Each structure stands twice: as C-alpha cells, then as structure tokens.
Amino acid sequence: MSSTAQYNPETLTSLLKTLNLSDQTPNHAEILKHANNVLKSNKGHSGALRTKVVALLQLDRFEEVVGALKDGGEVVGGELEFERAYALYKTGKWEEAKKIAKEAAEGGKREQRTRRGLWHVAAQAAHRSEDFALAHTIYHTLISENRPLVANEDYDLLVNRSATEAQLMWSGKQLASRKVTGEELSSFETAYNVACVHVARGEFEKARVVLKKARELCEKLDLSEEDKKDELAPVIAQQIFTAIKLRNFDEAVKLSEELDINSLSDSSLKPIASNNSISLKSLSVPTGSLYNPHLSLRFFESTVRKPISETHIKPYGFQKRVLARNKLGLELAVGKYGSIISEVTKESYTDPAKSAFEAAARAAERGKEVRKEVKEGKKGDVAVRLYAAQTEMGRGNVTGAIEIVESLLEEVKVSEKGGNKYAPALLGLLVALYRAQGRKRAPRQLEEAAEWWKTQEQPNAALLLSSALTSLTAPHPPTLLSAGALLSSLPESTASSTIPPQIINAGLVAAYATTDPSRIPPSALSSLPPVSDLVNGIDVDALESAGVYTPSKKRPLDTAETGAKAKKAKAGAVAQEKKKKRVRKARLPKLFDPSKKVDPERWLPLRERSYYKPAKGKKGKKWVGGGTQGGRVVEEEKEKEKEKEQTKVAGTGTGTGGGGGGGGGGGGQAKKKKKKGGKW
C-alpha cells in the first residue's frame, strides 16, 4: 500500500481515535508522524496542521510550532492564535506574543475558554516584557470576573497578581497598598509574593516576618527533598537580602551558608544570589581584616556577568541596573577608571547614575595628580585639599590625611579673621581622623578653638561640648578643671536649645567631683538619677561569688615606657629570657663506655696524634712533622737534627788530622757514582 493511500486525509480522524483508544496517554510523537505524512500529500489540510501544532506543543518543540504556523498559517486563519502566542512566549519573543494574544482576545468571536486562555498568555508575556501595568490590569480583571474555567485557576491568578505587584514596585512605579488577605498568607507561593511586595516597598521588618512564614509553609509541602530545596532557594535568597538591609550581617552570613549557590538548579537565581553574596562579603568584613575588591570583581565576572552574557538568562530591568552599578562600583574600587568612563559614555547606557560614576572615575583618575600637587605646595582651594585628604584615607594613609587637614586649619586660622578662624567643620574632621588612627587625646587645635570660641559673643556650643567631653577622659586635675570651665561657660539659652541639660550636668559633676566638689551646682546634682535607680536589680551577692576580674598585666600602649626606660626594660626582659633558657642534657657517643679512660687527644686530627702510624710507603714519620704546616714536632726527629748540626760544625773546624780526614772522607763519598739500572 502506498504512503498516500495509508495517510489519506479522510482517515486521519480515525487514526487519531485509534491511537487514543490503544494508549492510556496519547503518543504525541506517533501523532506528529501521522500528521506530517498527511501534510505531505495535502498541505492545505487544516485538521492535520492543527494536529501537528498541538503535538509539537506537547513535545515542547516551540520553535517548530512558530515555523509551522508561519508556513501554513493561511490554512487555519486565526483559529490557532492561542497556540501561536504561547509558542512565541516560550521562545522568548514576549512583545510579539503579547501583541498577538491581546488582539486575539479583544477581537473576534471566540469561546469563553479560548478568550480567557489568550488573556492568560497576554498577561504572562506582558510580565516578561516588563509591561507590569498591563499584566496587573489583566490579572485584576480576571480575578474580578470570578469565573475560573479550570481547577486552581483562581489560586494561580492570586499568585501572579501579587508577583506583578512586587515587580511594579521594584520597577519604580507607585502602587496603592491593599490589605493582605488571610488566604494569601495561608499558602506558600502567595505568602512569598506578599513578602516580596514588602521588600519592594522597603518594609524589611515585615518582609522578614512573612518570609519566615513562607518558609514554614514550604517545609510542610508534600514534596521530595530535592524539589523542596529548589522551592526554598528563592526564599532563602530573599531572607539574605532582607537581613543585609536590616544590617543583621551575622544572620545573613548564617543564611548564606544554607544556600549553596553552586548547587542551585534555577539558572536565573544564581547570578542574583552571587551578587548578593559579594555585597555581603564587602559589608561583613571582620574587624582588623581588609576587604579585597580585586577578588570580588573576579568572582563577579565569573558568576554574574559571564553567565548572563553567555546564556539565555535575562534579568529584569531593575536587576540589570543594580548589577551594572555593582560592576562599576567594583571597578572603581580596583582603579579601572578608564573602563568605567568608556562604559558610561556609551549611548546605550541609560542609567541615571552614570554621571555620578563618570565624575567619580574622572576625579579618581586625577587623584594622583592632586596628591602630588598638594605635597609639592600647589595646595589649591579647600575643596581640593579635602579631596586630597579623602584620597589618602582611601589608600589607608590616615597620617597623610591628618597632615593635610592640620595644614589647612593652620592656613585658615592665619587667613581668616572672622568666625571661621577655627572652622568647626574642619575641627570635627580632624577629631574624626584622630579617632580613626586610635589616638585618645584630642588635637591641640580643638583646645585652642575651644578657648577662642569661649570668648565670642555667640560661642559654638557643639564645639565647646566636644572639647569638654574629650578633656573629661583625661585623669589630670587641670584638664578636668578646664573641662568644667568650658561647660560652665555655655550660655543657658544656647545650651538648652542644642544640647540636652542632662549631658551638661553630668559633665559638670564628672569634672568637679574629684577636683573641687564645691563648684558643682546644686541643680546639677538634683537632675541626676539617684544611685538607687542605677543599682536597682543588681545582685551584689552574685557579683561577689563570681569573683573579681583581674586585668591583664600587659600595659596598654598609651601608658607603656618610652625612650631610655623602654630600652632598659627591654634589655632586662632579654636578660631574664636568657636566664630562663633550658640547659641541654649532655649527649654521649653511641658506644661510650664510662669505665674506659677517655683519649685526651681525641680532639686532634688523626695524623697529629702521638700514636698515629702511617701506612708503609708514605715517607715514614717525617710526614708527620713536615707534611702538615704547623704540625707538632716529634722529639726524636729534633734530636737527630741536632746531631747533624753538631757534625757539620765539627767538620768545618781548623784542627789538623782529624779535621782533614773528616773532610776528605766527606769528599770521597761525594765522588761516588750511582749504579745504573738499580732497583729498590
């Protein structure tokens, strides 16, 4: 039987019925095969095309659906607009899908079921194309109609509406608040979306409570552990964000340990969670540690920017803006000023904050030149000097910043004759820099300014109070008396309008209590709370039983000896340390026998020992004395040398007979010839 006869268009309906009867679940691949064979013989068969489109949708082959309807759309006319819009939505063509679904739902005579489905597709496409206002309007209309056509449609509409409300708020649109129903807080999805609405409004404390509720509801769902983990991931991510906003970094760090970013199955959540993790690390740096922006930028590039640029992930507009700003902020921290300027000057970059980043990058680029000019004496105006101090602080050079501000204060003091002679703002900055460096004493400029402002008609109350409170920390009586005088010099009208009287009264008592109690005003004592109120609730017996805390013997930095005393103390400590050194136990040779006498010459080289006997053919014992420079001389060799010297002296004497014979004998020996060919 030929192929054409087998897949006759008239028999397509019966073939489909046969497939449905033979299988409990439709075999969409087999249905697609039959439909394609029918269309080969008759491209204009509308039933076969409709069957093919539905089978492709069931098989999630959305690109093929778009192609099939594009080639044969005139066959079915406007009958398959729902399928066309849904396929476009699934392929990421949201604007086109929104337009087709909205036009099809508004025009033409369609069944209520089809029309309602088209509105659902239009709302979903509007949501993804960030037309949140249209999506919110559609969902609100569908909910108000109260005519659900499928199971759980009303619940899905509530979930989608609350999600759209959160997106509207995040995108910058103002939305009137509405009362949250108990039904929304009784289900996981709706409770989570309500929490997102609170986050978008900046109501982080409310969001924290609702997120906790949503998490409890999720954990009660009848799901597998893997599915439950996937559902909880966005909730935990929002909890981390909320904790960061509430400055509760310990809780945020604990939650981030629960959220394993690398194992997240939601690819769109990974870059967002990674970005928040970078922010958390920059904000929760332990005291004494340094934050490394270079590592953060590298992590951002690999986990945030690269996945978004190389995959199908498409964050929402407000998310893109935040991610772009964070990238620019990290580049600003590592000094990539050229990259920032080239990025923000592009026409496609429309973020309103781009001018701020450009200004910061250009200013930082010139920061090095400004610091150089300030150091070389080209000091410029106050703004330039303050900027130079700020750049020094950014580099961690607090001392350099203090020097710049101190020199600026000296110049202002000399040049200004009016009220800015001791500028309170500059003094406040100098005090802050002193504290940042760990200095406990106030700068001398603050004391000078306080004395000067005390004599003015309108003294600066805040500056006088700051100087007095700083002086109260010193234990010296003259300093305490000076602090009391400053507090007493504050006019009552000025002090009461800017400074609470309790602070002034407490300062007066602290200044004069140990120096001159008679100068304490009675009103100051009566305004202080009674001692009974301060110690109320304190269990004295429990404190005594707990024992007395003994502080460390290590002296603090500000009271430690300096100069010659410090050197002497250090030398004594070193000597004491040497005394405490442990004496090593004597080590003996492995085969040492204490009963045997120790060789007294054991420290000498072997050849220099008296009992050394060289091997034969090594020049005898002469090698011992002459072989080594500086070696010991054997007594026997010395005696032989003496005898030879005496013999030579006797042979050269003036005596007769014996002397001549001796000489002749010597000469006769010298005339003897060596034998040739002799052997040893």
Side-chain angles (χ1 to χ4, degrees):
M1 184 181 292
S2 65
S3 174
T4 304
Q6 184 179 0
Y7 297 106
N8 192 301
E10 285 74 16
T11 62
L12 179 62
T13 303
S14 60
L15 286 170
L16 295 178
K17 287 181 179 179
T18 304
L19 287 170
N20 287 334
L21 290 172
S22 60
D23 299 327
Q24 292 182 353
T25 57
N27 189 340
H28 299 291
E30 193 68 23
I31 292 172
L32 177 62
K33 177 182 176 182
H34 289 301
N36 281 332
N37 283 310
V38 170
L39 289 172
K40 285 180 182 179
S41 60
N42 186 359
K43 292 183 179 180
H45 193 281
S46 59
L49 180 60
R50 187 181 295 106
T51 302
K52 177 180 179 178
V53 167
V54 173
L56 289 171
L57 287 174
Q58 294 291 344
L59 295 170
D60 294 340
R61 293 159 64 172
F62 305 109
E63 290 285 354
E64 296 182 40
V65 174
V66 175
L69 291 175
K70 185 177 181 180
D71 295 337
E74 66 279 357
V75 177
V76 292
E79 294 182 12
L80 297 179
E81 295 298 339
F82 172 82
E83 289 78 1
R84 185 198 301 272
Y86 183 74
L88 289 169
Y89 165 74
K90 295 297 287 185
T91 53
K93 299 172 183 177
W94 302 312
E95 286 290 345
E96 191 176 352
K98 178 182 70 174
K99 181 181 177 182
I100 292 174
K102 186 172 179 292
E103 291 177 353
E106 290 175 343
K109 294 181 179 180
R110 300 182 185 277
E111 295 180 0
Q112 179 64 23
R113 186 185 185 91
T114 305
R115 188 184 302 277
R116 200 169 177 87
L118 284 167
W119 279 123
H120 274 282
V121 175
Q124 290 283 358
H127 185 95
R128 283 307 304 168
S129 62
E130 301 191 35
D131 189 355
F132 302 119
L134 175 60
H136 185 264
T137 302
I138 294 173
Y139 287 132
H140 186 74
T141 304
L142 293 175
I143 291 172
S144 61
E145 290 178 358
N146 196 20
R147 286 184 293 179
L149 299 179
V150 294
N152 296 325
E153 182 188 358
D154 52 348
Y155 173 73
D156 291 340
L157 287 172
L158 289 175
V159 172
N160 293 340
R161 184 184 66 175
S162 56
T164 306
E165 288 175 350
Q167 295 290 353
L168 267 173
M169 298 296 298
W170 271 320
S171 63
K173 301 290 191 303
Q174 295 299 324
L175 190 66
S177 59
R178 61 177 180 83
K179 187 177 180 181
V180 179
T181 63
E183 183 182 359
E184 289 178 297
L185 294 177
S186 62
S187 176
F188 161 61
E189 289 88 350
T190 50
Y192 171 71
N193 287 340
V194 168
C196 290
V197 172
H198 287 308
V199 171
R201 291 183 184 276
E203 301 167 347
F204 300 111
E205 193 59 46
K206 292 181 180 179
R208 186 181 67 84
V209 175
V210 181
L211 282 170
K212 184 179 179 181
K213 176 69 175 176
R215 184 167 182 175
E216 292 173 356
L217 292 170
C218 181
E219 290 174 347
K220 293 178 181 178
L221 294 176
D222 186 16
L223 298 173
S224 64
E225 288 299 322
E226 193 65 27
D227 292 341
K228 193 176 293 185
K229 181 180 177 182
D230 294 341
E231 294 290 341
L232 279 173
V235 181
I236 299 174
Q238 286 288 22
Q239 284 183 310
I240 294 171
F241 178 76
T242 304
I244 292 173
K245 285 296 186 179
L246 291 172
R247 312 290 296 177
N248 192 349
F249 301 128
D250 293 336
E251 181 183 351
V253 171
K254 186 178 178 181
L255 288 167
S256 64
E257 292 173 356
E258 296 182 36
L259 185 67
D260 186 4
I261 298 176
N262 295 326
S263 65
L264 291 178
S265 60
D266 188 353
S267 58
S268 62
L269 180 61
K270 272 188 178 182
I272 307 301
S274 300
N275 174 78
N276 293 346
S277 174
I278 295 171
S279 300
L280 177 59
K281 287 178 181 177
S282 66
L283 293 169
S284 60
V285 178
T287 305
S289 302
L290 295 177
Y291 170 63
N292 190 342
H294 296 272
L295 292 178
S296 295
L297 180 59
R298 190 183 306 168
F299 185 70
F300 183 92
E301 290 287 338
S302 61
T303 61
V304 181
R305 189 199 62 80
K306 190 175 180 181
I308 292 175
S309 61
E310 296 181 358
T311 61
H312 65 282
I313 301 172
K314 295 181 180 179
Y316 291 103
F318 75 93
Q319 292 175 329
K320 289 179 182 177
R321 283 194 299 274
V322 173
L323 295 176
R325 290 178 185 179
N326 287 352
K327 178 177 178 291
L328 293 176
L330 289 171
E331 289 180 341
L332 191 64
V334 302
K336 299 180 71 173
Y337 310 125
S339 174
I340 296 171
I341 294 170
S342 63
E343 178 70 22
V344 299
T345 51
K346 293 178 181 177
E347 293 184 4
S348 58
Y349 196 86
T350 58
D351 188 359
K354 71 175 185 178
S355 56
F357 281 105
E358 183 179 1
R362 293 191 184 279
E365 206 171 31
R366 175 161 161 68
K368 190 175 181 180
E369 300 175 13
V370 171
R371 291 195 301 271
K372 186 178 179 182
E373 290 174 2
V374 170
K375 287 182 179 180
E376 291 177 353
K378 303 173 185 177
K379 299 179 178 179
D381 57 9
V382 176
V384 172
R385 304 282 290 283
L386 291 177
Y387 174 72
Q390 177 65 31
T391 55
E392 292 294 341
M393 284 294 294
R395 296 169 60 222
N397 185 11
V398 185
T399 304
I402 290 174
E403 291 175 356
I404 293 172
V405 177
E406 286 180 341
S407 64
L408 181 58
L409 270 170
E410 291 298 324
E411 291 181 13
V412 171
K413 184 173 67 174
V414 173
S415 61
E416 297 289 343
K417 297 181 180 179
N420 288 329
K421 184 176 181 180
Y422 290 96
L426 292 178
L427 281 168
L429 175 60
L430 186 60
V431 171
L433 291 174
Y434 266 56
R435 290 176 180 171
Q437 200 178 37
R439 301 190 192 183
K440 293 185 177 181
R441 292 187 57 190
R444 59 177 178 80
Q445 291 89 341
L446 181 60
E447 299 174 5
E448 294 176 4
E451 292 297 327
W452 185 83
W453 277 104
K454 187 171 63 173
T455 61
Q456 302 303 305
E457 295 181 2
Q458 294 181 348
N460 189 299
L463 190 143
L464 293 177
L465 179 65
S466 176
S467 178
L469 294 180
T470 307
S471 300
L472 287 175
T473 59
H476 310 295
T479 309
L480 294 174
L481 290 172
S482 175
L486 286 175
L487 292 171
S488 301
S489 66
L490 289 173
E492 292 184 4
S493 59
T494 305
S496 60
S497 61
T498 58
I499 304 169
Q502 295 89 344
I503 295 178
I504 298 177
N505 293 331
L508 287 171
V509 173
Y512 293 130
T514 58
T515 55
D516 191 357
S518 62
R519 299 173 65 176
I520 301 176
S523 59
L525 289 174
S526 61
S527 65
L528 295 177
V531 177
S532 58
D533 292 348
L534 297 177
V535 299
N536 186 26
I538 297 177
D539 190 349
V540 179
D541 296 333
L543 289 176
E544 288 184 352
S545 62
V548 180
Y549 169 70
T550 304
S552 174
K553 293 182 180 180
K554 186 177 179 181
R555 306 186 72 178
L557 184 62
D558 55 348
T559 60
E561 299 93 339
T562 56
K565 287 186 178 180
K567 291 181 181 178
K568 189 175 180 181
K570 185 176 180 181
V574 172
Q576 190 71 16
E577 190 67 26
K578 286 183 178 179
K579 288 181 181 179
K580 290 181 180 179
K581 282 187 177 179
R582 181 174 59 86
V583 180
R584 291 181 178 272
K585 188 177 179 180
R587 299 177 65 184
L588 299 174
K590 188 175 182 181
L591 302 176
F592 175 73
D593 186 0
S595 62
K596 293 183 180 180
K597 185 179 179 181
V598 180
D599 184 6
E601 297 183 1
R602 64 187 181 279
W603 305 114
L604 295 175
L606 183 62
R607 292 183 177 185
E608 295 183 10
R609 299 180 189 179
S610 59
Y611 51 82
Y612 172 67
K613 294 181 179 180
K616 292 183 178 180
K618 297 294 182 180
K619 300 185 180 179
K621 287 192 176 181
K622 280 190 177 183
W623 181 260
V624 178
T628 303
Q629 186 176 357
R632 62 188 294 273
V633 181
V634 183
E635 294 298 328
E636 294 179 2
E637 293 294 326
K638 285 185 177 181
E639 293 295 330
K640 287 181 180 180
E641 290 295 330
K642 267 186 180 180
E643 291 176 2
K644 286 182 180 180
E645 290 295 328
Q646 291 175 358
T647 305
K648 287 180 180 179
V649 172
T652 56
T654 56
T656 59
Q669 290 177 359
K671 288 181 180 179
K672 287 182 180 180
K673 295 182 180 179
K674 288 185 179 181
K675 296 180 181 180
K676 295 182 180 180
K679 295 183 179 179
W680 285 38

